[in-house]
Amino acid sequence: SEQWDGGKFLVTFPYPYMNGRLHLGHAFSLTKSEFAIGFQRMQGKKALWPFGFHCTGMPIQAAAYKLKKEYELYGMKTPEGVLLPNFPPAPPEVVTLDPDGGAITIGWRAPTSTGGLALKGFQVYFRAGGAESEWTKSSDVDAVDGEVQYSSCVTGLVAGEQYAFKVKSVVEGVAGVDSRILSKTADGKKDLKLLAAKKDDKEKKVPGGPPKGAKTKVAAKTGGLTTQWDILRSMGLSPKECEPFVDPVYWLEYFPPLGQKDLTRFGIGVDWRRTFITTDYNPYYDSFVRWQFHKLKAGNFVAFGKRPAIFSEADKQPCMDHDRDKGEGVNPQEYTAIKMRLLEPFPEVLCSLQGRTIYLLAGTLRPETMCGQTNAWILPEGDYGAFEVSDAVVYICAARAARNMSFQDIFNEWGNPKQLLSLKGQALIGCAVKSPLTKYERIYMLPLTTISMTKGTAIVTSVPSDSPDDYAAFMDLKNPKKRAFYGVQDEWIAPFDLIPVLTTPDLGDMSAKFMCEKLQVNSQKDVEKLKEAHDACYTSGFYKGIMTAGPFVGKTVQVAKVETRKKMVQDGEAITYLEPEGFVTPRSTPDTECVVALVDQWYLKYGESDWQAKVKEHLEKTLECYNPAVHKLFREALDWLGDWACSRSFGLGTRMPWDEQFLIESLSDSTIYMSYYLVAHLLQGHNMFGKEEGPAGISAAQCDEAFWDHVLLGRPYQGDVPAETMLKLRREVTFWYPLDLRVSGKDLVPNHLTMSLYNHAAVWNDQSNMWPQSFYCNGHVQVDAEKMSKSKGNFITLTGAIAEWGADATRFTCADAGDGTENANYNRVTADRCILALTTELDWIGAALNNQSKDIKLRSPSAPRVWLDDWFENEMGRVVSLAAEGFRGMRFREALKHAFYGMQDARDKYRSGTSQVGVLEPLIRQWAEWQALIMAPITPHWAEEIWEYLGHTSCIVKARWPQPSKPEEPALTIAGQYLFKLAHDLSTAVVNRDKKKGKAKGTAEEKPNQINLYIATTFPKWKQLVLELLKEHFDPQTYLVDDKVMPMFKTHAELNSFNKGKQVPQFAAAVREEAKSSGASAFALKMPFNEAAVVTQNLAYLKTTLSVNGIQAVHVYTDKHDLPNPDLLASAAPGKPAIDLFFANEIAEPQLREVSSEVMMDYLNDHNVAEVLNEAVNRLGREQPTDPFSWLSAYLAKKGK
């Protein structure tokens, strides 16, 4: 209706990628949407949660291609016509190294499929030396039924030598298959050699290793390379069912319907009419994405050109975040490669290059400090290559760096650096080079064992005045003994001194020396101290440093860094190159590391100043992030996100509308699709694939640019779709947009979510009211405090969770797992207990409302009310309000705490407190109804069962959130807390006294049977003075009292007049401690309720509670009574009655002090009692109720309030 003003709420969740079944990680995050929409619906709003399925990008096509290759390489037809692979054993891994015994034990897993034929065993081979060496058979290992893990000890090896291993399967009737070769260390960086393990890595081993073929617990990884066939089989597919998955389209048709089925069983409140899949397989969504990119291009937000991108060599295209097996969020890192010219004489290994100019490339992130070079570092055992730039020029660096450079037009052939020769770093130690900017004519290559071959060029310049790591290594080699150990000649290091390059106000002009001496760094082995020194030097130098040497003396380091790099490149003294800042592999070929490549591509100009400014303003002024940490993540993302490659050549998706050789990549087609949900049900109907026309009767061909311009932007339309239909489509958009809430994992902040803000700002550039209103981001979910992993056995699919615990217990546990950006914990014990808790509660409600429960009895609605009735009604309202605050603030663990545990606690206390008189039937029925209502967003099926039992005919999801008839009475809340704490304190006091008496001599008659409670209504004057002074110095933000208050007590004249001595600081200390938990209420001078009246009205409850301890009576004494022990009343304080346990044969009730008639009349007059009673008696006579005493009680109670 156009007249609707009851509010609306639209929530979306990133559509999951459909290359498999949904898992618990999906379920945990999407429950945030589910709980939020359930709550908002109960507020009377029109609430919409649509859900789609993502199929764009590389993973599906790569998986289909991988499966096809597996069938081509290993597939065999069984007699039944089923295609089964005959896989090789999993790649072997090192279990133990025994250089003393000349042995290496390797382990491997049996193949998961051998073509339906029997696995007979394995043949183990080893190779000594490099790839040119021959293979030697080491042993035969028999296969054992049921065994998966095998191992073999290869003996007769030589310590220090290089080895490689492979395992071949022995299969009945067909040739075996070789495993992949094991030739590198576990990190893949070095050749595998029989070397002694480092001290920290040594493990107990049997000399010589276990016998050949012995069954051992292999300490290596157990997974190896997982095949696509295995992944599909792990989803419960039969071998026959796996075969169609070689076609990418089959994935699109198979998994999305299963996702919908699983989520339906999970009970989520999705409008499934609006579901869809992505890619051009869905022509309607395809038209929408094409329209989006037309808008971006028209707004000049898209450009074309060579741009650096993380690149998959196998796929021959950029590898964006969602295409990666490892390295999501990793970006290109730019290095300045300093060209250090090798001086003659050349080392022997490079003699064949005589006559060419050879540059050793030293990658650095600090080009402005190159004027301080004293030497350069190289890894002695590192593998380096000489790569041809031209007939006259050769670069020396690590092969990994050269591979990256080859994709950046640095070498002649793109993607293929021409390696002239290879050499070890040891061969270059002592070589002289001419390096740019340093004052020394020649510096020398020196050994450094901490260099990484997988970072930069693996050749490092040394600036020991500014770099603590360089300083520590440099000073080590200044020691003659260290020089002799490393074979470093004196002239390579002795003549060189530190060169100051910059100065900072806090670290001076030799920052590295200053910090190393300050932290007492003794050598390169002081890793932690060096890291601290590095961080201090870098931070101070970059943000505060002024250059004192080099071409830009006097300029700030930040300016000099850019200017120096620019000048060195222009002068031919350096080149710039890029590499991934971390390890990245694509899903298609997870064994091949990605590179950074300069590629022709369409890219989105994220980071463009005006565009960025609009998004930043929206972030700061409008966007609700629910968590300051998430807001900070968005700020950081906006600061670094720049040009983004939005095109690719391979995969599934939508073609770039103006350049159809390219596809739009998977993150770029997923930024404003929330708006597509608004009309998807009218365009596609109930067909998620978009293969049928929906209720609007519009074909995909009619969804052209003008169509979408009108529907989503409100622009005039002159097409052939009827005006009435267009009006209906447009109404969906204007009603539901903007997006009220987007729920996502925090890992999508740096890409998808920030891009969503950018794209909304671009497409609706003049309609900021259409941009997203709030983003909620959660952390990852763990299972039993461990990362979810198949190898750990704690990987849980959604359908598996529902089978194990049911939908509601799973949802309950997801709510309990936690909120915020920290990792949440799905506790399987909680899930198990939840099943029992929910079923037990359901049974109890049924029994209680039928008056068949053993632990309660019902009081009729007409029965007189007791104090606990009022408390319970007030407490229910309070808990409902607290639960609502949790739901509203997206704090669902807090909401669950109140909605379930809080309601249970209130009911239990009420049940216990009214055990003598019974619970009031309307109140316990109201409790059951409210319990169902406020748990409905979390456990809808359980809540619906209660709702139906209570006689409601409509579904609970259509019901409204409970509305208490009156606001919470804080005094009544505090009085309830006081009463139940008092009951606990009295029980504890009796038990503790019995324990003490049990250790001492005494008679059975001495066991207390009565309790006197001394209740004080006010503090003594001296305590009031202490409380007032503490309150003046209390910080409500920290709940702390300033320490400076304590000395004030000694000089407080009025306080000192009471001569309380040490009691003053003792009392103050106790109150300060209480304030840490209870806040300002710790300083209250009196309670906000009548303590004596509350206790007196609930004596029956207290006596029942204490009867198990033998207590027969509880007596209340105030200053209005004759006191058996006046000193106890003096020791009492408001809210803290003094307790006296005693035994007496007779039970004597407390007696009021004698009060004169004048005092009594003054009291009655002060409180207007006579007037009220006179009015009550007159009304009673006029109305003449059936039960005059109940009427009078209710009337006076009302007047009292």
Side-chain angles (χ1 to χ4, degrees), residues 975-1043:
Q977 294 168 351
Y978 167 87
L979 174 64
F980 297 115
K981 182 178 184 301
L982 177 62
H984 175 268
D985 290 347
L986 293 176
S987 296
T988 302
V990 173
V991 170
N992 289 344
R993 186 185 185 281
D994 290 345
K995 287 180 180 178
K996 291 179 181 178
K997 281 292 181 180
K999 295 179 181 179
K1001 293 181 180 180
T1003 62
E1005 289 74 27
E1006 291 178 342
K1007 187 174 182 178
N1009 66 346
Q1010 298 181 59
I1011 299 176
N1012 285 342
L1013 285 178
Y1014 292 85
I1015 296 176
T1017 56
T1018 60
F1019 283 101
K1021 181 61 177 177
W1022 71 271
K1023 286 188 176 181
Q1024 293 181 31
L1025 294 172
V1026 172
L1027 291 170
E1028 289 168 357
L1029 200 56
L1030 291 172
K1031 186 176 181 180
E1032 290 174 9
H1033 294 83
F1034 175 70
D1035 183 348
Q1037 301 298 321
T1038 63
Y1039 277 28
L1040 297 177
V1041 177
D1042 197 321
D1043 289 337

Side-chain angles (χ1 to χ4, degrees), residues 954-976:
S954 62
C955 291
I956 195 169
V957 293
K958 296 181 180 179
R960 294 292 184 90
W961 189 262
Q963 298 297 322
S965 59
K966 53 188 176 182
E968 177 197 355
E969 294 183 42
L972 194 53
T973 299
I974 296 171

Side-chain angles (χ1 to χ4, degrees), residues 141-183:
V141 178
D142 292 334
V144 178
D145 286 345
E147 282 288 339
V148 175
Q149 191 72 56
Y150 292 85
S151 66
S152 177
C153 181
V154 182
T155 58
L157 308 181
V158 179
E161 289 296 312
Q162 176 182 341
Y163 290 98
F165 302 89
K166 67 178 180 180
V167 178
K168 186 175 185 177
S169 60
V170 179
V171 180
E172 186 177 36
V174 296
V177 188
D178 286 349
S179 72
R180 286 171 49 207
I181 295 170
L182 167 63
S183 62

Side-chain angles (χ1 to χ4, degrees), residues 550-561:
F552 299 102
V553 173
K555 292 196 174 184
T556 66
V557 167
Q558 294 183 52
V559 171
K561 178 176 182 175

Side-chain angles (χ1 to χ4, degrees), residues 530-552:
L530 281 171
K531 183 180 183 304
E532 182 181 348
H534 171 274
D535 292 345
C537 289
Y538 178 81
T539 302
S540 179
F542 186 74
Y543 293 103
K544 305 175 187 175
I546 302 295
M547 298 304 298
T548 59
F552 299 102

